[in-house]
């Protein structure tokens, strides 16, 4: 395995698939190899941010056997960032998941399990979600249900 992935490889992927930004990540069994490419200087900067996020925030979850560590509240990036997983993204994911259950009640404990996180992170995302709300027993996460309000 080469010491690094050549930038030309990322550029080739971008051109072949008409992409503005590319982030290639490889694992050789011992080391992680990362290269970015951006079609413009702005795209280069955003691709570099993606690499910084990946190497700093989620790398610990990738290329691992077994269960991933739970997603923690501190792993979300600030809402002003261009790249990364934001709390608002998680709120949107919860909203989508709840709506896709087609009326089946979804509790906080289920969401924590489905999204591999803890109850506090789920509740923070619900608080951040404009259309999300909870009902039921806040002391028992199996009876603390999540709803979506909207038209």
């Amino acid at each position: 395995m080469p010491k690094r992935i050549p930038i030309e490889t990322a550029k080739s992927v971008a051109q072949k698939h008409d992409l503005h930004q590319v982030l290639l990540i490889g694992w050789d069994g011992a080391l992680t190899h990362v290269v970015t490419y951006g079609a413009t200087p702005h795209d280069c900067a955003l691709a570099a941010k993606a690499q910084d996020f990946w190497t700093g925030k989620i790398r610990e979850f990738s290329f691992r056997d077994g269960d991933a560590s739970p997603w923690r509240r501190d792993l979300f990036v600030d809402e002003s960032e261009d790249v990364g997983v934001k709390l608002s993204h998680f709120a949107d994911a919860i909203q989508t998941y709840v709506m896709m259950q087609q009326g089946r009640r979804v509790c906080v404990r289920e969401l924590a399990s489905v999204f591999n996180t803890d109850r506090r992170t789920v509740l923070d995302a619900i608080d951040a979600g404009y259309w999300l709300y909870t009902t039921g027993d806040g002391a028992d996460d199996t009876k603390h249900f999540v709803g979506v309000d909207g038209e």
Side-chain angles (χ1 to χ4, degrees):
M1 180 82 177
K3 297 249 184 228
R4 64 183 194 93
I5 303 169
I7 293 173
E8 283 300 316
T9 302
K11 182 178 180 180
S12 173
V13 169
Q15 290 172 340
K16 180 178 180 181
H17 298 284
D18 195 28
L19 301 171
H20 296 270
Q21 303 162 19
V22 172
L23 172 64
L24 297 179
I25 304 166
W27 172 253
D28 67 9
L31 298 173
T32 302
H33 304 269
V34 181
V35 65
T36 63
Y37 171 79
T40 67
H42 181 69
D43 288 328
C44 288
L46 292 176
K49 276 186 167 184
Q51 178 179 347
D52 291 345
F53 171 77
W54 188 84
T55 57
K57 296 281 188 177
I58 64 172
R59 181 179 179 185
E60 64 187 271
F61 300 122
S62 303
F63 301 115
R64 291 180 42 182
D65 290 330
D67 295 332
S69 300
W71 186 269
R72 302 180 317 268
R73 178 70 171 85
D74 64 301
L75 295 173
F76 292 107
V77 299
D78 187 80
E79 292 293 324
S80 65
E81 293 293 323
D82 291 325
V83 178
V85 180
K86 303 173 187 179
L87 186 62
S88 62
H89 295 155
F90 184 36
D92 291 344
I94 289 173
Q95 179 176 327
T96 301
Y97 180 84
V98 170
M99 292 182 77
M100 291 179 75
Q101 303 314 304
Q102 301 180 18
R104 182 181 66 80
R105 292 171 60 167
V106 177
C107 67
V108 170
R109 175 179 257 165
E110 177 181 344
L111 291 170
S113 176
V114 165
F115 290 103
N116 190 34
T117 192
D118 58 62
R119 75 180 302 275
R120 183 72 259 155
T121 302
V122 169
L123 293 172
D124 286 350
I126 292 167
D127 287 343
Y130 184 80
W131 301 105
L132 297 171
Y133 64 91
T134 60
T135 60
D137 184 356
D140 181 349
D141 289 341
T142 63
K143 297 177 182 171
H144 195 188
F145 298 100
V146 180
V148 177
D149 190 17
E151 300 175 19

